[in-house]
mmCIF file of all heavy atoms in Angstrom:
data_model
loop_
_atom_site.group_PDB
_atom_site.id
_atom_site.type_symbol
_atom_site.label_atom_id
_atom_site.label_comp_id
_atom_site.label_asym_id
_atom_site.label_seq_id
_atom_site.Cartn_x
_atom_site.Cartn_y
_atom_site.Cartn_z
ATOM 1 N N VAL A 73 6.028 -5.085 -0.238
ATOM 2 C CA VAL A 73 5.992 -4.818 1.198
ATOM 3 C C VAL A 73 4.893 -3.817 1.488
ATOM 4 O O VAL A 73 4.978 -2.657 1.074
ATOM 5 C CB VAL A 73 7.339 -4.288 1.715
ATOM 6 C CG1 VAL A 73 7.251 -4.022 3.216
ATOM 7 C CG2 VAL A 73 8.459 -5.271 1.424
ATOM 8 N N GLU A 74 3.856 -4.260 2.227
ATOM 9 C CA GLU A 74 2.771 -3.373 2.642
ATOM 10 C C GLU A 74 3.121 -2.673 3.951
ATOM 11 O O GLU A 74 3.834 -3.226 4.793
ATOM 12 C CB GLU A 74 1.464 -4.154 2.836
ATOM 13 C CG GLU A 74 0.948 -4.860 1.595
ATOM 14 C CD GLU A 74 1.343 -6.321 1.537
ATOM 15 O OE1 GLU A 74 2.375 -6.693 2.152
ATOM 16 O OE2 GLU A 74 0.618 -7.094 0.887
ATOM 17 N N SER A 75 2.574 -1.481 4.130
ATOM 18 C CA SER A 75 2.731 -0.748 5.375
ATOM 19 C C SER A 75 1.572 0.226 5.531
ATOM 20 O O SER A 75 0.804 0.452 4.594
ATOM 21 C CB SER A 75 4.067 -0.003 5.421
ATOM 22 O OG SER A 75 4.152 0.959 4.380
ATOM 23 N N GLY A 76 1.440 0.808 6.713
ATOM 24 C CA GLY A 76 0.453 1.842 6.958
ATOM 25 C C GLY A 76 -0.768 1.402 7.737
ATOM 26 O O GLY A 76 -1.613 2.242 8.064
ATOM 27 N N GLY A 77 -0.885 0.121 8.046
ATOM 28 C CA GLY A 77 -2.016 -0.347 8.821
ATOM 29 C C GLY A 77 -1.928 0.099 10.272
ATOM 30 O O GLY A 77 -0.917 0.625 10.724
ATOM 31 N N GLY A 78 -3.024 -0.111 11.003
ATOM 32 C CA GLY A 78 -3.066 0.260 12.400
ATOM 33 C C GLY A 78 -4.473 0.254 12.935
ATOM 34 O O GLY A 78 -5.398 -0.257 12.298
ATOM 35 N N LEU A 79 -4.633 0.845 14.108
ATOM 36 C CA LEU A 79 -5.926 0.948 14.784
ATOM 37 C C LEU A 79 -6.521 2.323 14.523
ATOM 38 O O LEU A 79 -5.845 3.343 14.702
ATOM 39 C CB LEU A 79 -5.754 0.724 16.282
ATOM 40 C CG LEU A 79 -6.992 0.900 17.156
ATOM 41 C CD1 LEU A 79 -8.048 -0.142 16.818
ATOM 42 C CD2 LEU A 79 -6.602 0.819 18.623
ATOM 43 N N VAL A 80 -7.776 2.351 14.104
ATOM 44 C CA VAL A 80 -8.454 3.606 13.814
ATOM 45 C C VAL A 80 -9.906 3.513 14.270
ATOM 46 O O VAL A 80 -10.495 2.425 14.265
ATOM 47 C CB VAL A 80 -8.364 3.942 12.306
ATOM 48 C CG1 VAL A 80 -9.111 2.907 11.472
ATOM 49 C CG2 VAL A 80 -8.874 5.340 12.018
ATOM 50 N N GLN A 81 -10.470 4.644 14.683
ATOM 51 C CA GLN A 81 -11.874 4.671 15.090
ATOM 52 C C GLN A 81 -12.797 4.652 13.885
ATOM 53 O O GLN A 81 -12.414 5.073 12.787
ATOM 54 C CB GLN A 81 -12.150 5.921 15.927
ATOM 55 C CG GLN A 81 -11.439 5.947 17.259
ATOM 56 C CD GLN A 81 -11.802 7.170 18.070
ATOM 57 O OE1 GLN A 81 -12.356 8.136 17.557
ATOM 58 N NE2 GLN A 81 -11.488 7.128 19.356
ATOM 59 N N PRO A 82 -14.018 4.147 14.047
ATOM 60 C CA PRO A 82 -14.987 4.229 12.949
ATOM 61 C C PRO A 82 -15.121 5.659 12.443
ATOM 62 O O PRO A 82 -15.169 6.609 13.224
ATOM 63 C CB PRO A 82 -16.279 3.740 13.585
ATOM 64 C CG PRO A 82 -15.828 2.831 14.688
ATOM 65 C CD PRO A 82 -14.569 3.457 15.219
ATOM 66 N N GLY A 83 -15.171 5.790 11.124
ATOM 67 C CA GLY A 83 -15.215 7.095 10.494
ATOM 68 C C GLY A 83 -13.861 7.694 10.195
ATOM 69 O O GLY A 83 -13.779 8.728 9.519
ATOM 70 N N GLY A 84 -12.797 7.068 10.667
ATOM 71 C CA GLY A 84 -11.458 7.572 10.461
ATOM 72 C C GLY A 84 -10.873 7.187 9.115
ATOM 73 O O GLY A 84 -11.528 6.567 8.281
ATOM 74 N N SER A 85 -9.600 7.544 8.929
ATOM 75 C CA SER A 85 -8.907 7.333 7.663
ATOM 76 C C SER A 85 -7.541 6.702 7.880
ATOM 77 O O SER A 85 -6.908 6.897 8.922
ATOM 78 C CB SER A 85 -8.712 8.663 6.925
ATOM 79 O OG SER A 85 -9.941 9.283 6.626
ATOM 80 N N LEU A 86 -7.095 5.957 6.887
ATOM 81 C CA LEU A 86 -5.746 5.409 6.833
ATOM 82 C C LEU A 86 -5.287 5.394 5.384
ATOM 83 O O LEU A 86 -6.109 5.287 4.477
ATOM 84 C CB LEU A 86 -5.682 3.979 7.376
ATOM 85 C CG LEU A 86 -5.729 3.748 8.884
ATOM 86 C CD1 LEU A 86 -5.818 2.256 9.164
ATOM 87 C CD2 LEU A 86 -4.497 4.336 9.556
ATOM 88 N N ARG A 87 -3.978 5.467 5.188
ATOM 89 C CA ARG A 87 -3.402 5.274 3.864
ATOM 90 C C ARG A 87 -2.410 4.133 3.917
ATOM 91 O O ARG A 87 -1.416 4.190 4.643
ATOM 92 C CB ARG A 87 -2.704 6.534 3.351
ATOM 93 C CG ARG A 87 -2.260 6.389 1.886
ATOM 94 C CD ARG A 87 -1.558 7.612 1.349
ATOM 95 N NE ARG A 87 -0.206 7.755 1.880
ATOM 96 C CZ ARG A 87 0.723 8.542 1.368
ATOM 97 N NH1 ARG A 87 0.439 9.285 0.290
ATOM 98 N NH2 ARG A 87 1.913 8.628 1.923
ATOM 99 N N LEU A 88 -2.681 3.089 3.141
ATOM 100 C CA LEU A 88 -1.784 1.955 3.027
ATOM 101 C C LEU A 88 -0.841 2.158 1.848
ATOM 102 O O LEU A 88 -1.214 2.751 0.841
ATOM 103 C CB LEU A 88 -2.560 0.657 2.836
ATOM 104 C CG LEU A 88 -3.668 0.354 3.849
ATOM 105 C CD1 LEU A 88 -4.271 -1.015 3.558
ATOM 106 C CD2 LEU A 88 -3.141 0.430 5.271
ATOM 107 N N SER A 89 0.370 1.633 1.983
ATOM 108 C CA SER A 89 1.357 1.698 0.918
ATOM 109 C C SER A 89 1.849 0.301 0.593
ATOM 110 O O SER A 89 1.922 -0.560 1.467
ATOM 111 C CB SER A 89 2.551 2.566 1.323
ATOM 112 O OG SER A 89 2.164 3.891 1.598
ATOM 113 N N CYS A 90 2.187 0.080 -0.661
ATOM 114 C CA CYS A 90 2.802 -1.166 -1.105
ATOM 115 C C CYS A 90 4.010 -0.804 -1.944
ATOM 116 O O CYS A 90 3.863 -0.258 -3.045
ATOM 117 C CB CYS A 90 1.813 -2.007 -1.902
ATOM 118 S SG CYS A 90 2.508 -3.518 -2.602
ATOM 119 N N ALA A 91 5.191 -1.087 -1.427
ATOM 120 C CA ALA A 91 6.436 -0.815 -2.132
ATOM 121 C C ALA A 91 6.862 -2.052 -2.905
ATOM 122 O O ALA A 91 6.960 -3.143 -2.335
ATOM 123 C CB ALA A 91 7.524 -0.405 -1.147
ATOM 124 N N ALA A 92 7.124 -1.888 -4.190
ATOM 125 C CA ALA A 92 7.424 -3.009 -5.084
ATOM 126 C C ALA A 92 8.846 -2.923 -5.607
ATOM 127 O O ALA A 92 9.406 -1.837 -5.772
ATOM 128 C CB ALA A 92 6.445 -3.030 -6.255
ATOM 129 N N SER A 93 9.416 -4.086 -5.890
ATOM 130 C CA SER A 93 10.748 -4.149 -6.466
ATOM 131 C C SER A 93 10.911 -5.448 -7.236
ATOM 132 O O SER A 93 10.152 -6.398 -7.046
ATOM 133 C CB SER A 93 11.830 -4.033 -5.385
ATOM 134 O OG SER A 93 11.736 -5.100 -4.458
ATOM 135 N N GLY A 94 11.896 -5.490 -8.125
ATOM 136 C CA GLY A 94 12.254 -6.721 -8.802
ATOM 137 C C GLY A 94 11.577 -6.974 -10.133
ATOM 138 O O GLY A 94 11.757 -8.051 -10.706
ATOM 139 N N TYR A 95 10.826 -6.010 -10.641
ATOM 140 C CA TYR A 95 10.162 -6.156 -11.935
ATOM 141 C C TYR A 95 9.834 -4.786 -12.500
ATOM 142 O O TYR A 95 10.035 -3.771 -11.831
ATOM 143 C CB TYR A 95 8.907 -7.019 -11.808
ATOM 144 C CG TYR A 95 7.769 -6.354 -11.060
ATOM 145 C CD1 TYR A 95 6.668 -5.852 -11.740
ATOM 146 C CD2 TYR A 95 7.796 -6.234 -9.676
ATOM 147 C CE1 TYR A 95 5.625 -5.248 -11.057
ATOM 148 C CE2 TYR A 95 6.766 -5.626 -8.986
ATOM 149 C CZ TYR A 95 5.682 -5.138 -9.676
ATOM 150 O OH TYR A 95 4.645 -4.536 -8.998
ATOM 151 N N SER A 96 9.307 -4.764 -13.724
ATOM 152 C CA SER A 96 8.937 -3.503 -14.366
ATOM 153 C C SER A 96 7.578 -3.057 -13.845
ATOM 154 O O SER A 96 6.533 -3.410 -14.394
ATOM 155 C CB SER A 96 8.913 -3.664 -15.880
ATOM 156 O OG SER A 96 10.193 -4.011 -16.380
ATOM 157 N N PHE A 97 7.594 -2.260 -12.790
ATOM 158 C CA PHE A 97 6.393 -1.916 -12.033
ATOM 159 C C PHE A 97 5.282 -1.347 -12.909
ATOM 160 O O PHE A 97 4.129 -1.772 -12.821
ATOM 161 C CB PHE A 97 6.764 -0.922 -10.929
ATOM 162 C CG PHE A 97 5.613 -0.470 -10.086
ATOM 163 C CD1 PHE A 97 5.178 -1.238 -9.016
ATOM 164 C CD2 PHE A 97 4.969 0.726 -10.346
ATOM 165 C CE1 PHE A 97 4.123 -0.821 -8.226
ATOM 166 C CE2 PHE A 97 3.917 1.155 -9.564
ATOM 167 C CZ PHE A 97 3.490 0.377 -8.508
ATOM 168 N N ALA A 98 5.614 -0.395 -13.753
ATOM 169 C CA ALA A 98 4.592 0.318 -14.518
ATOM 170 C C ALA A 98 3.893 -0.561 -15.547
ATOM 171 O O ALA A 98 2.806 -0.207 -16.012
ATOM 172 C CB ALA A 98 5.201 1.536 -15.207
ATOM 173 N N ASN A 99 4.483 -1.701 -15.909
ATOM 174 C CA ASN A 99 3.933 -2.543 -16.962
ATOM 175 C C ASN A 99 2.926 -3.575 -16.468
ATOM 176 O O ASN A 99 2.412 -4.360 -17.273
ATOM 177 C CB ASN A 99 5.061 -3.264 -17.700
ATOM 178 C CG ASN A 99 5.882 -2.323 -18.557
ATOM 179 O OD1 ASN A 99 5.383 -1.311 -19.040
ATOM 180 N ND2 ASN A 99 7.148 -2.660 -18.757
ATOM 181 N N PHE A 100 2.623 -3.583 -15.165
ATOM 182 C CA PHE A 100 1.708 -4.561 -14.598
ATOM 183 C C PHE A 100 0.654 -3.891 -13.740
ATOM 184 O O PHE A 100 0.924 -2.911 -13.046
ATOM 185 C CB PHE A 100 2.465 -5.594 -13.753
ATOM 186 C CG PHE A 100 3.353 -6.499 -14.547
ATOM 187 C CD1 PHE A 100 4.657 -6.143 -14.830
ATOM 188 C CD2 PHE A 100 2.877 -7.711 -15.017
ATOM 189 C CE1 PHE A 100 5.484 -6.968 -15.568
ATOM 190 C CE2 PHE A 100 3.691 -8.554 -15.755
ATOM 191 C CZ PHE A 100 4.990 -8.181 -16.037
ATOM 192 N N GLY A 101 -0.552 -4.450 -13.796
ATOM 193 C CA GLY A 101 -1.589 -4.012 -12.891
ATOM 194 C C GLY A 101 -1.297 -4.435 -11.459
ATOM 195 O O GLY A 101 -0.481 -5.321 -11.200
#
C-alpha cells in the first residue's frame, strides 16, 4: 500500500511510503 502522494510546487519535497505485509519483508529487494 503506497501513500504520501499529493500536489507540490516545483522545487518542493514529498516522502512516499510503501507498507508491506504477507511475506518476509527483509529478505526481498
Side-chain angles (χ1 to χ4, degrees):
V73 180
E74 299 97 335
S75 62
L79 176 65
V80 65
Q81 294 183 345
S85 299
L86 284 173
R87 188 180 74 164
L88 308 184
S89 299
C90 176
S93 61
Y95 70 104
S96 298
F97 179 83
N99 289 331
F100 292 88

